[in-house]
Amino acid sequence: MPEGFKEKMFGTDGIRGVAGDFPLDEATVEKIGRSLADNLKRDLGHAPSLIIGRDTRESGPRLEEWLARGAVESGARVESAGVMTTPGVAFLARTTPFDAGVVISASHNPYHDNGIKVFSRSGKKISDEMESRIEHDVAQYIGRGGPPPSRAEQGREASGVEFFASPPAHRDQYVDYLVSEVSRGLSLGGVRLAIDCANGAASFIAPGMFRRLGAEVGVISASPDGRNINENCGSLHTDSLRRLVIEGGFDLGVAFDGDADRALFIDEKGELVDGDHTLLVLADHMKQAGLLGGDTVVSTVMSNLGLELALRERGIRMVRAQVGDRYVLEQLIALDAKLGGEQSGHIILPEISLAGDGLITAIELLRAVRESGRTLGELAASLTKFPQVLINVRVPSKPPLEKLSPVMDLIEKFEQEMRGRGRLLVRYSGTENLARVMIEGEDYGEIEERANLLARTIKESIESMGA
């Protein structure tokens, strides 16, 4: 059994890990492909068809080949979309005659990581039940000792796999949808737009799309080499985009992540406009247009208290979901709400797409800016944020927080001290071995001191458990 194996492989955003290591080694990825095809066939009553897209990591083609090989051996028809954004694959799964869409990507992670996420025909991620079935199949396979395919089998290509079967056609189909349907009525003539493609999947889509809408476009980080995805660029590293906007006199900037399912913005003065700002701007615009169903916005526990207060002033209810776009979507569907998202820039507009899409987010934010007659900076200034400290703590394992008595005692102490004048949240990342500590309050120095103490206590408590 591989070291560190646990039956739960799927996190909040699919399977993720170091490419080539379990569970992203060749034998296991093949097994995932077989299991996915087998389970789809069981549900559908016929051999399934899959469309696979990937971001620009150097490991993407071989992971795609391994998964496709396993799926084909179980009778699936597999076609490649080549390099494609995550929401682009979700769009293809929803609008073309495929039974599922598979994305090979690790989103905002560095190049040596990769991942697998799967979308159903509805354009939503596959169900928890389907994920559990795949995990069970892999666990059984590992429990039997595998055996991995022979070296000869590892080297062969699965017949019928069209790895690069006209991928431009798939991209063109997606871009045509964005331009002709999502952007209907929007002209960006006269807009000077800077974009950072994170050396990822947006590199082949975003520049041309915005130019078709009439914008004058300045582009950075759109030359992927397999290893520079998200490297000092994109939505996690916006300094270069900020400089471009200021020095080039652009109206605003858009920063995507590696698979373009999120977008952050830079206003005309070089200030960051994050997902909380975006939710408020879009909520204002949609409410005025009568499009904000139930006057409700779904956010997450990470959204700033200032957003909640700003929405309340406008007569808009904010509902908090767990962190993860799948949980935001669950709440959107349950409440029949029309707008939701995360501070990180994942925004979901379910009337357009059930997947977070950085390109759609950018289109709709630009629409709000154009129709308001104001600048992005002026619109974003409507949000006054409470000071917030967020610390990521690298941990060797993720035991239940309830078992860490020193941590729980400290949390209780801080919550009593804040007495409703702030928020505290501690949670584990769904995709990495990280504990996240977030504290909001009125005094930055005070909350920073509390957050650092809590972060140290978490690290020391978990390390002592393994001693």
Side-chain angles (χ1 to χ4, degrees):
M1 183 176 297
E3 183 178 353
F5 173 73
K6 55 183 178 179
E7 188 168 333
K8 186 68 181 169
M9 295 188 306
F10 284 88
T12 55
D13 202 20
I15 299 170
R16 199 167 293 181
V18 176
D21 292 349
F22 181 86
L24 298 179
D25 59 287
E26 182 171 2
T28 307
V29 171
E30 276 198 34
K31 181 59 183 177
I32 292 168
R34 290 190 193 98
S35 177
L36 175 61
D38 288 341
N39 280 288
L40 286 171
K41 182 177 181 179
R42 190 182 92 176
D43 291 350
L44 300 171
H46 61 78
S49 58
L50 309 178
I51 180 77
I52 305 180
R54 63 180 188 273
D55 66 22
T56 55
R57 295 162 207 274
E58 65 179 10
S59 61
R62 70 175 183 269
L63 264 70
E64 178 181 359
E65 179 180 353
W66 298 342
L67 190 137
R69 181 190 301 157
V72 168
E73 288 175 350
S74 285
R77 183 180 73 85
V78 180
E79 189 170 328
S80 176
V83 174
M84 175 65 82
T85 67
T86 287
V89 173
F91 164 77
L92 292 171
R94 177 170 58 86
T95 61
T96 56
F98 293 100
D99 297 306
V102 181
V103 183
I104 308 296
S105 172
S107 190
H108 58 277
N109 284 25
Y111 84 91
H112 48 70
D113 290 345
N114 217 321
I116 300 170
K117 40 192 164 185
V118 188
F119 291 90
S120 68
R121 286 187 292 189
S122 68
K124 297 195 310 185
K125 289 174 184 173
I126 56 171
S127 66
D128 291 344
E129 180 196 359
M130 175 69 83
E131 290 180 351
S132 295
R133 284 194 238 161
I134 294 171
E135 288 167 343
H136 177 72
D137 288 348
V138 173
Q140 283 195 320
Y141 169 78
I142 295 299
R144 293 195 302 267
S150 68
R151 188 172 301 275
E153 288 177 316
Q154 289 178 3
R156 84 185 189 291
E157 292 189 6
S159 59
V161 182
E162 303 169 37
F163 288 111
F164 299 100
S166 63
H170 291 303
R171 286 201 294 266
D172 290 347
Q173 184 178 356
Y174 176 51
V175 172
D176 287 344
Y177 159 73
L178 294 173
V179 171
S180 62
E181 295 189 41
V182 178
S183 303
R184 185 176 291 127
L186 174 66
S187 170
L188 298 182
V191 174
R192 301 193 70 243
L193 182 65
I195 58 175
D196 181 337
C197 296
N199 291 313
S203 303
F204 303 97
I205 294 175
M209 185 202 78
F210 287 118
R211 289 183 179 119
R212 282 180 60 180
L213 292 173
E216 179 185 339
V217 181
V219 184
I220 58 173
S221 303
S223 302
D225 64 9
R227 295 192 171 195
N228 61 1
I229 186 171
N230 300 314
E231 184 179 26
N232 299 317
C233 60
S235 60
L236 290 184
H237 307 280
T238 57
D239 286 346
S240 295
L241 181 62
R242 179 179 289 110
R243 286 193 297 272
L244 177 61
V245 169
I246 294 172
E247 294 171 5
F250 287 92
D251 296 312
L252 64 123
V254 188
F256 299 102
D257 65 341
D259 65 339
D261 62 353
R262 68 171 74 178
L264 296 181
F265 302 88
I266 301 295
D267 72 16
E268 70 282 359
K269 295 180 180 179
E271 297 296 322
L272 177 66
V273 176
D274 68 13
D276 283 352
H277 294 101
T278 301
L279 285 172
L280 182 59
V281 172
L282 292 180
D284 256 343
H285 181 255
M286 293 172 69
K287 184 176 173 68
Q288 291 169 19
L291 300 174
L292 191 66
D295 285 344
T296 297
V297 170
V298 177
S299 151
T300 76
V301 292
M302 293 302 293
S303 279
N304 193 276
L305 184 59
L307 174 61
E308 188 171 351
L309 297 177
L311 289 170
R312 188 182 303 162
E313 289 173 358
R314 292 159 170 76
I316 300 170
R317 175 177 62 142
M318 188 175 96
V319 176
R320 292 184 186 269
Q322 296 180 56
V323 173
D325 58 341
R326 70 185 304 148
Y327 302 117
V328 172
L329 180 59
E330 286 175 3
Q331 285 292 321
L332 285 169
I333 293 172
L335 299 169
D336 195 26
K338 309 304 179 188
L339 173 65
E342 301 184 87
Q343 193 179 60
S344 62
H346 281 108
I347 305 295
I348 302 178
L349 295 137
E351 295 291 281
I352 304 174
S353 173
L354 297 180
D357 189 323
L359 289 159
I360 290 175
T361 300
I363 289 167
E364 293 307 309
L365 189 75
L366 285 161
R367 189 191 303 277
V369 170
R370 294 285 275 180
E371 293 183 3
S372 73
R374 303 169 69 190
T375 67
L376 176 58
E378 290 170 340
L379 294 176
S382 300
L383 174 58
T384 301
K385 287 194 170 189
F386 276 52
Q388 182 185 87
V389 174
L390 175 63
I391 299 177
N392 292 320
V393 186
R394 182 69 58 181
V395 293
S397 62
K398 296 190 280 190
L401 291 169
E402 295 77 13
K403 293 186 177 181
L404 306 177
S405 297
V407 173
M408 298 306 295
D409 290 345
L410 204 54
I411 289 173
E412 183 179 0
K413 175 178 181 291
F414 288 163
E415 287 179 336
Q416 289 177 352
E417 290 173 352
M418 287 189 291
R419 290 189 295 274
R421 295 197 305 273
R423 288 198 313 128
L424 185 155
L425 176 68
V426 180
R427 68 177 187 90
Y428 291 118
S429 167
T431 59
E432 300 176 83
N433 270 3
L434 294 174
R436 304 195 194 278
V437 177
M438 187 280 290
I439 304 183
E440 290 174 352
E442 297 168 317
D443 183 275
Y444 184 86
E446 189 176 81
I447 63 174
E448 183 180 39
E449 183 178 339
R450 286 171 172 158
N452 282 319
L453 177 56
L454 189 50
R456 287 197 303 272
T457 304
I458 290 170
K459 186 175 182 62
E460 290 168 1
S461 297
I462 294 176
E463 288 177 346
S464 68
M465 292 178 68

